[in-house]
Amino acid sequence: MCKTLTISLATYHRWQAQYGGADLNTVKELKALKEENAQFKKLVADRSLDKVALRELLTGKWSARRASERWWTIVSASWS
């Protein structure tokens, strides 16, 4: 089966463990929820960046370099 799907045996076993007893509708719902969760994470990261930037702007600590450093810190934290 792995040869016809051109996937490794490890991938097959990972998929089997993840989706083993699920029917097609359940898998589709899980995929949709994962996509929605990714969108929410991106939204939270954007809002967090806006909040940090506004706070720095209001306190007079705004700089382009600091904003880019904060952006990376916030985005990498939201991915984990």
Side-chain angles (χ1 to χ4, degrees):
M1 179 186 276
C2 292
K3 282 187 178 183
T4 59
L5 295 174
T6 62
I7 60 171
S8 71
L9 190 59
T11 300
Y12 172 77
H13 287 297
R14 182 173 44 90
W15 286 352
Q16 186 179 27
Q18 191 172 14
Y19 305 111
D23 62 345
L24 186 59
N25 288 334
T26 306
V27 173
K28 285 182 180 181
E29 287 176 12
L30 180 62
K31 184 177 178 181
L33 287 173
K34 284 184 178 183
E35 289 173 0
E36 185 179 8
N37 193 28
Q39 290 174 348
F40 284 138
K41 283 184 177 184
K42 187 184 290 187
L43 181 64
V44 168
D46 288 343
R47 295 296 177 217
S48 297
L49 177 61
D50 291 344
K51 184 179 175 182
V52 169
L54 286 173
R55 184 178 297 141
E56 289 185 0
L57 184 63
L58 290 173
T59 60
K61 296 179 183 177
W62 175 261
S63 74
R65 179 182 169 103
R66 181 174 288 165
S68 66
E69 290 170 359
R70 295 254 191 240
W71 176 82
W72 181 249
T73 303
I74 293 168
V75 169
S76 61
S78 70
W79 288 341
S80 55

